[in-house]
Every structure is written in C-alpha cells, then in structure tokens.
Amino acid sequence: MAEHGIGARVPRVEDQRFITGKGRYTDDINQAGQTYAVFVRSPHAHARIRGVDKSSVASMPGVLAVLDGDDVKADGLGNLICGWLVKSKDGSPMKMGPHPLLAQGKVRYVGDRVAVVVAETYAQAKDAAEALVVDYEELPAVVDLAGAHGAAALVHDEVADNLIFDWELGDKAAVDAAFAAAHHVTRMELVNNRLIPNAMEPRAAIGVYDSGTDAFTCYLTSQNPHVHRLVMAAFIGVAPEHKLRVVGPDVGGGFGSKIFIYGEECVVCWASRKIGGRPVKWTAERSESFLSDAHGRDHISTAELALDKDGNFLAMRVNTKANLGAYMSTFSSCVPTYLYATLLAGQYRTPAIYCDVQAYYTNTAPVDAYRGAGRPEASFLIETLVDQAAMELGIDPADIRRRNFIPRDAFPYQTPVALIYDTGDYQATLEEALKLADYAGFPARRAEAQRRGKLRGIGLSCYIEACGIAPSAVVGSLGAGVGLWESAKVRFSHTGKVQVLTGTHSHGQGHETTFAQLIADKLGVPFGDIEVIHGDTEKTPVGMGTYGSRSLAVGGEAIMKACDKIIAKGKKIAAHLLEAAEGDIEFKDGKFTVAGTDKSKALGEVVFAAYVPHNYPPDLEPGMEEGAFFDPPNFTFPAGTYVCEVEVEPATGEVDIVRFTAVDDFGNVINPMIVEGQVHGGLVQGIGQALLEGARYDDSGQLLTGSYMDYCMPRADNVPSFAVVTSAGTACTSNSMGVKGCGEAGAIGAPGAVINAITNAIGRRVEMPATPEKVWRAIHSNVAVAAE
Amino acid sequence: MPSVSMTVNGKQVGGEVESRTLLVEFLRNQLGLTGTHVGCDTSQCGCCVVHVDGRSVKACTMLAVQAAGSQVTTIEGLARNGQLHPVQAAFREHHGLQCGFCTPGMIMSAVDLLQHNANPTEAEVREWLEGNLCRCTGYHNIVKAIMAAAADMSGHAKAAE
Amino acid sequence: MYDFAYHKPASLADAVKLLADHEDAKLMAGGQTYIPTLKQRLARPSDVIDLGAIAELRGITEEAGGVTIGAMTRHGEVAESAVVRRVIPALAALAELIGDPQVRNLGTLGGSISNNDPAADYPGALLGLGATVRTSKRQIPADQFFTGMFETALERDEIVKAVHFPRPEKAAYAKFPNPASRYSMVGVFVAKTGGGVRVAVTGAGQSGAYRWTAAEQALAGNWSPAAIDGLTVDPSGLNSDIHASADYRAHLVKVMAKRALAAAG
C-alpha cells in the first residue's frame, strides 16, 4: 500500500488549520460595513399575530431595519419548501400549510421567526429585538403526537386533523395472512425519542448584496451550498441562480441540521438589499439553535413480528406515527417514509412486511433528517423487536439472528420493502463481533458483576442502512424533487498540480484527505500535489452536497469518472508523443506506457504537453481538465453488528457502558483512520439517544430542554473507548471503488445494542432515553412482580 | 467606555470595550483571533477555552475587563516558532478532530490538564473533559490523542533530565 | 447582556462603599453563574463590583484545628489545597466535583454560597460540617445562613469574607449529578463531629440545602450505612423536574447518604 494510497491511515490535511485556530467558519468571516441581524422569535407555541409595532424600536440606537412577515409578502418572496412529495394511501398528495420566511398571521412553535432587526452592532440589534412589541393572541397548542390526532386545534387551518399524510408500503394482505397462520406473534410499542442535532457550531449566515452587479453572496453553515442556491433562487426568489453565490466555508458539524434551507439565510440576503447592500450577519446563539434547528426522530410505533415454531420470521407489521413539527422542513417527508420503511427488512429474509405511517403537524420545531434519518428508527425497531421475540421464544439473540439472516449467497437480494441489497455477509460481521466482544465469556462476566452487586447485560444490534443517496430515477419515482447525482472536476495545472473540485461538502468528514488519496492512487500523482476544493458555488461544479453517507460513494465516484477522462485524454496525447497507437497505451502508476515496451511518458509530461501543445494531436483540445457526473445505479448497503455490554447499578438505575464492539461492512475503505472516527462519533450519538438525549416540550409547547443545562449531551466520561473493526467488507457493486459509506452507521446501530443490553441486564425494556430513573423504576417494578 | 490592556499570546494589546464585552468577544472581534469559538450561551461547551494566567477558563464566562493585566494564551499562541505544541500534533496524528469547531477549546483544556497531571489515566482524561463538548469524534480519538501527548511530553521531559 | 458600570475595588472596604453608593449594584465573585445570568438578560445591574482584586478575600489557612477559606478562593484551589486535603479531605473532594475544570478555575466559595443555588454543592458542605460564614459585618453559622432557594441571611451591603470549617472526625460527600447540567441532583454530606452527627442534603430540596435530622438521630448512636436502612425520605418538598421526580430524588437521598457513609468509613 502506498503511503498516501487507498487503505492508508493518512493524517488529515485539513487539520493544520483547525489545530492552530486558523479554521474559517461563517462567524469568523467579517466584511467591511457589516451589520448584525437578530431574529425576534415567538414565545408562544401557537398564537395569532395581531400586530408588530415596528415603531417601538425603529428609532433605537443603531437600528437600520425592522422587517416582518408583511414585508416578506410585500416583496413577493416565496415560502420555504419541502422537496419530496409523499402521497397518502388514497393517492392524494401530502397536505401542507405554507412555511413563510417570517411568520404571517400566525406563529406555530416557540422559536418561530416573527421579525428581524438589523442594526449597526450585535448588541444594538439584540436590544431592539428584545424591545420589539408584538401583540399575540394565544391559541391552543398541539404539543405532541398523542395530542395531534383529533385535536381541536389545527396547526395549519388547511390540514384537517393535523394529518400531513397517511402512507403505506408493502403487501398488507400477504402480511395479514402470515400473521393469521403464525405460531407466535411478538408485539411491542416503542418510542423513538426526539433529538436535537447540536452540531457544535451554531447556524450562521451572512448576506451580501452588491448593487453594482445586482448579485448576492451568502456565506452560511451549509452541508450543500448548491442546494441552498437552487432553493433560494427558484423558490424563495432571493435572486436568480446565476446572481447568487453561496459559500459554505468551514462548517462545524452538520449531522443533517445544516442540509435544510431555513428562513434566516434567505432573510439576511434580502435584508442586505433592503439596507442598501451592507452585509448582514446573523449567528445563532445556542438557545436559538435548540429552538429553531430542525429536530430529529420523534416516532411512536407499534411493531409486530410473526414467527414459526423454529423462530423463523414470517412477517412484520408496523404502524408508525411521526411528528414533523410545525412546518414541513426541506426533506422532512422522506425521512419517516422512504428512508425508514424501506429498511424494515433489516438483515433478515422476512418474506412479507407492511408498514403504514401517519405524519402529523404539531406546534413544535420542524423535524427533519438527523444523522441516519429514518434508518436509525427502522434499525432500532427491528433489533429490539427481534430481541423481544428471542426472549419470548427462549432463543439466544445471536441464534435467532443467524437463523433469519439473508444468506451470503442470496445477493443481490430483493426485499419485500422495495430495496435490492447488492452485497453483504451478515453472518460474517456477527461472528466477528461476537468473537471480538467475547460473547461466549459473557456469563462469567455477568456472574462476576453480580458478586459486586451490579446487573450486567449484553445486547446485539445487526443494523443495515441504505446510503450513497441516491439513484435519481428511483427517488424521482418516489416523489423527490431533485436528482441526487454528484459531480466533480479534476483540473491539472501546467506544473502537474491538481485541483479537485467536488460538489460534496466536508464538515468534519475529511474529504480533503480522502479524495486526495483517491486521486493519488488513481493517477499516481503525489498526495501533496493535490488540493480538494469544495463549498463555494462560484468555484465548484454544480453539486448536491453531503448527507446520507453519499460523499464518497457518489461524489468520489464522480471524481473517479473525471479521472478516467483524464486518463483517456492522456492516452491520446501519449500515443502521439510516443508515436504509438492509442490502443497500445497503458496507464499505471502515473505513467503512460506503450504496452510491451519500455517507452513511456510520465503523466506530468503529458499534462505539460496538453498546456504547451507544440507537438500535439491535431484534432485534440488542449488542456487537462475534466468534469464528470455520477448518478448511482442503486443505494449502497453498509451493515454490521454492534455489541454493547452494560453494568446497571440497581440502587440508582445508573447504566455504565463497560464495553462496546462495532464490526462494520463498509465495503472497501479508503482511509481507515477517518472511517473509524466516523464510527466513533456515530456511536456516541446513538448512545446519546439511547441513554441521555431527549427533547421535551411542556403542555403549553415550551421547550424544556432548551440549553445544555437540560438537554443532556454525551460527554467524554459517559462513554468508553470502542473496539471498532471496519475491514469486514464485501465490496459494493454500485461504484468502481467498492465503497458503501460510513457516516451514519454508528448512530443507526448503537441505540438498539444499548437498549437490548439494558433489557438483558434488568429483564425488561426501558424507553429511550434510558435515564437512571426509568431504569431504576423498571428494576423496582421487576422486584415487585417477583415478590407477588 | 473602559479601556483594557492585557498580554495576548505574548503581545501587549489593548482597546476600548464596553463593560459587558466578554473576553471571547474581545479576542474574536477586536483582536481578530477567531480560533476561539462560541458554541453555547450557558458556559458548558468549552469551545471558547483559553488560558488566563496559565489556567484554562471559558472566555465566554469572563468579561474582557476582568482579564485586564492578565497573560492570555489562545489557540493561535500555542505553537511556538512554527513548532506545534505536542497536544496539537497529537490531535492531528490520532485524528482527534473532525469538524474542528470544538478543537481549539479541547486542545487548550488538554494542555491545562497535562500541566496539572502529566500522566493522566484514561478515566482522568475523560473526567477532565467534562467542560468540553464534541459532537463529531465520540471522544475516542481525543482521549487517545491526549494520552499520546502526555506520553510524548513526559518522554521529552525525561530525555531533558 | 445589558451594559453596566464595572468596578474592581482593591479592598473590602472599597467594595462595601461601592455597594452602598450604587443602589442597583451587584457583587461578582468568580462570575461563573452571574455572567451566564447576565448573558441571558435575567439581571440588569447598574453596576457590577468585581471582587477579584481583593487580596484579603483569598487564601486557605489552617485555624483552630479546622480550615478557613477566603471567599474568593477558587474551587480548584480548594480541591488542590494540601491543607484542605489533609484536614478535611471530604471538602477538597467536594470542590473537585463542582462544575468542570474551567469553572473551578474561576468559580469561588463565596460566590457559590451567596448565590445559594439549590443544586449547588458547597451549601451541603457548610451545613454538613457546621461551618461559620464570616462576613464584612459578623459571623453567621451555616444553619442560619441558608434561608431558602437563592436566599441567604446576607444583608444587601454585606459581603462574605471567608468560611471557617471545623475539622470533623469523619466526613464524606456523595453526589448524584444532574446528567445534563452536572449540578447536584442529590448530594449528601455526612460528618461525624465533636458536636454530633450532621447530614446535609443539597440538590433535592425545593428550598435549597437542608439537614436530614432523622438520619442524624439514627446515626448518632450507630455511625454506619445500615443505621439508616429503616428510614424513608418524604418526597414532599423535594424538587421534581424532567430529570428526576421527587420520589426518585427521595430514594437517591438515602442511597447517596449510604454511599457517603460508606466512603467516610
């Protein structure tokens, strides 16, 4: 393996700036003449706006503009959109209320944007925003799923019963028949707790209008600057697409929350024009992030599994109610549907599966994709259901999984919920994980813990995800409003240095390193001669951004395709220079060679000839710069087994994760160090969901978990070090690299393993987050039951 | 408006500030030292950790005027003569960062830990990091990097004896 | 944050005078609670008087067999103090559990007890050890100092100078932190002193730290975790929130008390 090639643990090139304080995040950018925006947000979950008294602050020191929903309407700006149309069972399109940039007529959640104040300094804007008098008439609020259905209050008057869609997937008749004939049915109700993403960098945006060119620049915390540009131009009407430059500089984590097009970035651009072109900067305070970033998860489900007497799965039936908050965020509709129910087969050959999903509006923050997006909900449901079935039938949890895995020789495998898995070897990852976790030695460890007064448990989770999002024709047929290809450009300079321009966006994933490794390997160019550029619509080719573990599998493949074009063109040039037939030229290790001879030209010589075409093929364009698009033929299907071992303190219900093993099949791996890091981070988000995190609103719709004082983020001492294996790969067949994607796996697989371990320790399942009090109560109720 | 002067990264600096100006605002907005970040408003995330008179503090929970006359070190001042501090080097070597936003505070906090405790156990490192949140790394490689830096620094210290 | 006038007096007398001269002035010690409060615009003082430059408020001394800790002594200094570790190791251990390292580098004893957050740790130590608060005006026994949630016996123009902690025969503190804020959800300080047994509970009570007298009586003749086995804690009057119900807190009071007793030996 070359030092910087595929499979090498190359330290990241981006790190130098981050470890020396030279990263450049949106809030680090300051512009001459910059002004500051502060948003006035609704203190009520649901209220009619009787009036906004702008005169109350217009003359305050430094105030340059006060804008509200009426101004948005007067200037003809469009509403925020949901980019994926989901249809209900009856064929009708999902029902949506408008999502204005600034509230018009009504506010629908605590934190809803009512107005913006722009002032000379941040403190002045803050002072004026606080002083702005808004007259509200409070309305009854719908604060959770339990209250949404049949509520007297409607979040949007046009959406009856607050029901956005009632969607289904699968063969209901076949499932019902299988259940009717089943030997055993396992049934459970479960909650997938609402989470708040909490990227460490709060959202921020700077809008700059240049009257000289009638063009805008927007710097913002975006995972997908081109998608922002598209929506802000085509739907909001901030500016025509060619007059809007969107820059996502260094971005401090996203986890989904920075995919979406929010009102704030649109408003700062518009406001910059309103005040004559001075830049307008907005940076969220963390409290604002809690209120207004799109939240994740929030499902209540009923799940049933039908089994035969040997523990073979016959059918699965799931009903899910999904809380989508007060407005339909950008991709909110596909999360509890196409990213969720399509994964309900898991790693198993369950022949019949049916799922229906009711999505509701509530007076809470919008809910959208958060790391894993739909797939963690599916995986958690399957893996807890399977464990429950194993417990009821007296089968070892590993055995029931082995018995039902899709066998390694059954690929490609068509599931009953639409997907075709290309490759996998689920038994192999399970066995490796069990070995690494010393599953066989667990009874002895449990006995030893018992002597110390602790309840020890072990839990498995065999997750699968659909990544590499996504084949455009497939998602288009399912309602997506966009194509999900990716693009790249590979540009050589005279001196053989390489710029790689990608439409993906790196906000922690290390693309600048991984993509350079790809090119170094493919073209034989020194790693240090390659620069990866992303995040600026003015520099990079059109792209769709980073989410759904897609950057390498889709964006990386676009780079590979551009490299193929470089090689193809290089062959023509080399053939000319070497006076050989093009078909006889081979490219390897950075050299074009006439097959079977020692006649060769280095790539650098060929590139130089392309820019100084003095001796050059007459019919060939000069230059060495090639672009490519890649639209994947299928999703990728990373899968793996996680094993969690916990010790529970029965006196308090405290859960200590004492051991955690992750064995993942990500296909081929470019940089194992980076991939392991992605797993570690995902695991802690999954453990956070299982043990610590949960967004809570009170009965009036006030967010109770609105700061780190109340929203429990995982800290270093909440988690152990992990045993992670990422080399258990079956190569993916949907791209030439054989890669599957690794960004979301940890968050998808971990919750099931943690909860199953706790169930194993204390004998009954606790809903997430499994706080000490819940666990203590569960143990306590067990004792009571045993005493009866 | 009060004026303050202090030493930041070895340089004497000063300026007029409002009483309410936080140290982190002074560093970022007036001195342009944007490596110190703000990740929360309740003094918990630790993205803003700097050293004041040799000890780590949260620059979002100290007024600029409070730091008058102090010696302040930020992430920008940690490397000396182009040579990374061993903790910085270890974070890169062991992939102790992803998005990089928590990293300056994390590194400044870790440097303070190793001043107190040159050879911490893993548990001690994890406990010390109570005031530093990271959403990307799961802490695994941060802990690994700090342990490695400790070994590296004590190795150097031994070599120098 | 609203703006204010900032003062940094060099002596206690100057601080007292500033407080007298400015009606809406507030004292700031380490600022680790007060600055976040200001940032959230929950307070609007005309003047902030920073006690950070008053040398006489700092320092740890061994006195009359116990320790006296200046009001502006940082939590980290208490945790690391060789004197405190030798004389009252439980107090050093408690200080180590307050906040995080950065908060401990600025937060102070005087600030913590003057604020009297019901989830703070120090009030438990003062009550548990029967400490005496020395102010610019007088000496106040801990039992009379804490008067309710965020309420103390301090008068408006009175400043804590130091706290004297007598040395106990045995003592320990057990804390169950709020998982999010890491403040005390339930903290129990137990001490066996020349004057009898003291058991102080912080974090749990709606009115702040309090003494668990039933446990003190049970332990008076039998200093052991088993001595409180028969006791139950009444949840009425305890906090109930999204992190823990009053019932669970009541249960934890007993569990933490037993842990502390086991640790105290």
Side-chain angles (χ1 to χ4, degrees), chain A residues 45-67:
Chain A
H46 198 190
R48 212 171 297 289
I49 301 173
R50 288 207 192 101
V52 178
D53 183 7
K54 292 188 206 167
S55 66
S56 59
V57 300
S59 59
M60 283 180 70
V63 171
L64 299 166
V66 184
L67 303 167

Side-chain angles (χ1 to χ4, degrees), chain C residues 150-201:
Chain C
F150 297 109
E151 298 286 340
T152 68
L154 289 170
E155 291 165 13
R156 204 209 142 258
D157 57 348
E158 188 172 16
I159 300 174
V160 175
K161 281 164 57 182
V163 178
H164 176 72
F165 296 90
R167 178 179 198 160
E169 290 170 32
K170 294 178 173 184
Y173 179 63
K175 172 176 178 175
F176 194 99
N178 174 315
S181 70
R182 300 286 176 100
Y183 275 71
S184 179
M185 199 153 88
V186 171
V188 178
F189 199 103
V190 300
K192 189 177 182 187
T193 72
V197 171
R198 298 177 72 98
V199 178
V201 178

Side-chain angles (χ1 to χ4, degrees), chain B residues 57-101:
Chain B
V57 302
K58 291 182 169 169
C60 76
T61 314
M62 189 172 197
L63 303 172
V65 287
Q66 274 181 290
S70 292
Q71 298 275 341
V72 177
T73 306
T74 71
I75 188 70
E76 290 92 343
L78 200 56
R80 294 281 158 81
N81 307 319
Q83 183 92 23
L84 292 176
H85 186 282
V87 173
Q88 290 173 305
F91 268 64
R92 178 167 64 188
E93 181 67 21
H94 297 280
H95 191 29
L97 64 150
Q98 291 182 24
C99 80
F101 196 79

